[in-house]
Amino acid sequence: MYPDTKELVAALASIMSVSGQEEQGREKLCALAGSYFDAYLPDPSGTHVFVKRCGREGAPKLLLDAHFDEIGMLVSDITEEGFLRVVSVGGLDRRILPAAEVLIYGKETLYGVIAAVPPHLQKAGDHKTAPEIGDLLIDTGYDGETLRRLVDIGTPVGFYEKTASLLGSRICGRSMDNKACCAAAILGAAMLSSEQMAWDLYVTLSAREETGLASGCSAAAYRIRPDAAIVTDVTFAVSPGVREDEGGKMGGGPVVSLSAVTDRGLTRQLLRLAQEREIPCQTCVDACDTGTNATMLSLVGEGIPTAVVSVPITSMHTYNEIADTSDIEYAARLFAAAAEKGGLRL
């Protein structure tokens, strides 16, 4: 029996994982996902590694990577008046930050709101520009002396934990990038029994992707030495401002990348599997860069054949990203098919 998709995504999204702080969610993550795997292997990079074995000695290893970290902030200063200044971790959309609700993960978890200048008091032209991160102040209601007892410089700050269902199969909230794909990876493993599997499956919920370093997946892959890898991340969904040639259709299934970075044979096999299993699937052309962990992962060790399978979302890098759970489930089915007997072949 595998988990309800919306409940799984919401539970994963509630785990604080601002990039560089991924290990703080280890206990919650293991309680949520551990029962679907045979082993959990902590990694010094902060990456969470789960293993599901097929039970056959010398079986090939398939790595399924979904980065676990999310965009956020770090406290950089505490003013005498009791406001917090922050720096960004990852590519925050500065246009939507004023009045955003946040959580400060200090000695206690504090609720805060990013202060906003009323439109009545804005200067001419202010509405045309996004504020700089360093100019923003978080208001918790505490004075400076109290805040300094509860919050240290360098404390992570994340968007407020809230996930909601929209009409149909859509879900919105913080960190759909990349908790939607973490859910797809876990769900895919949950769909498998060892008797069905031809591969040992290693699921890496990797660290630090939003920093641009991709070091978490690379370190784990060097340790695992997989025979093939699939990277799953979000991609742009067709929406106002995003053309059809720039993204995938929500509800149309996962998006398989056609790129110079990805392995052509592995990519063809995934598209074949999707067709044979009648799993809705889309393709996109990423030319020389997929914007995912695939570039670094493909170059680990002696090289790893790597493909990219993405879930389309809207409002990326905001506090209300939107995903379609049907896409998550289609991706999970494709991942399960890849690890099954008759799935991917070396």
Side-chain angles (χ1 to χ4, degrees), residues 2-340:
Y2 43 85
D4 177 81
T5 306
K6 285 187 178 180
E7 291 178 1
L8 178 60
V9 175
L12 288 167
S14 73
I15 300 174
M16 193 283 287
S17 57
V18 173
S19 196
Q21 312 286 330
E22 298 87 353
E23 72 283 352
Q24 291 192 32
R26 180 180 300 164
E27 187 174 336
K28 288 183 179 179
L29 178 61
C30 287
L32 182 64
S35 63
Y36 304 112
F37 296 89
D38 298 315
Y40 170 77
L41 307 175
D43 190 88
S45 70
T47 291
H48 304 283
V49 182
F50 292 91
V51 187
K52 188 157 193 168
R53 298 188 176 93
C54 68
R56 182 165 57 88
E57 188 174 350
K61 298 175 183 178
L62 176 62
L63 188 152
L64 178 54
D65 176 74
H67 76 83
F68 190 66
D69 63 319
E70 61 185 315
I71 57 172
M73 294 158 272
L74 296 177
V75 173
S76 60
D77 186 30
I78 303 172
T79 72
E80 292 296 331
E81 299 80 11
F83 294 102
L84 300 176
R85 293 189 188 277
V86 293
V87 294
S88 62
V89 179
L92 294 171
D93 188 339
R94 294 181 288 118
R95 298 170 303 169
I96 53 86
L97 289 178
E101 299 173 278
V102 296
L103 293 175
I104 302 99
Y105 297 97
K107 296 179 179 69
E108 299 176 10
T109 299
L110 305 179
Y111 172 83
V113 175
I114 298 179
V117 178
H120 320 66
L121 302 180
Q122 291 180 9
K123 298 173 184 175
D126 280 358
H127 67 287
K128 296 181 180 180
T129 61
E132 296 296 328
I133 295 291
D135 294 332
L136 297 173
L137 297 170
I138 297 176
D139 189 354
T140 65
Y142 288 112
D143 57 42
E145 182 180 352
T146 303
L147 264 185
R148 288 189 182 90
R149 292 200 300 267
L150 298 173
V151 178
D152 294 325
I153 301 300
T155 294
V157 178
F159 292 127
Y160 186 67
E161 297 172 7
K162 58 179 180 181
T163 305
S165 293
L166 302 179
L167 292 177
S169 53
R170 295 189 181 178
I171 188 170
C172 70
R174 75 171 196 182
S175 73
M176 294 296 113
D177 176 10
N178 191 36
K179 300 298 175 58
C181 295
C182 292
I186 294 168
L187 188 59
M191 292 176 175
L192 291 164
S193 66
S194 59
E195 293 78 14
Q196 296 173 293
M197 297 169 64
W199 299 69
D200 284 342
L201 180 64
Y202 287 74
V203 172
T204 53
L205 305 185
S206 56
R208 305 179 195 173
E209 190 273 347
E210 295 294 357
T211 66
L213 298 176
S215 57
C217 77
S218 300
Y222 186 82
R223 177 183 175 192
I224 296 165
R225 300 298 176 98
D227 297 283
I230 301 171
V231 170
T232 179
D233 203 339
V234 296
T235 190
F236 306 114
V238 176
S239 58
V242 181
R243 304 189 309 268
E244 288 190 11
D245 62 330
E246 295 177 320
K249 181 181 178 182
M250 293 183 74
V255 181
V256 177
S257 176
L258 307 175
S259 170
V261 171
T262 53
D263 183 84
R264 292 187 294 278
L266 187 60
T267 300
R268 283 195 295 268
Q269 288 194 62
L270 287 170
L271 293 172
R272 170 186 59 81
L273 276 175
Q275 185 176 28
E276 290 175 356
R277 306 295 177 92
E278 298 183 343
I279 301 170
C281 192
Q282 308 174 73
T283 59
C284 69
V285 176
D286 284 323
C288 299
D289 185 11
T290 67
T292 72
N293 279 342
T295 302
M296 290 292 293
L297 191 57
S298 65
L299 300 175
V300 169
E302 297 174 353
I304 303 169
T306 304
V308 175
V309 177
S310 302
V311 171
I313 69 167
T314 62
S315 302
M316 193 182 296
H317 281 208
T318 72
Y319 48 76
N320 257 327
E321 298 170 325
I322 302 172
D324 195 309
T325 54
S326 65
D327 293 323
I328 296 169
E329 290 165 359
Y330 292 142
R333 286 174 54 195
L334 184 57
F335 301 150
E340 285 179 352

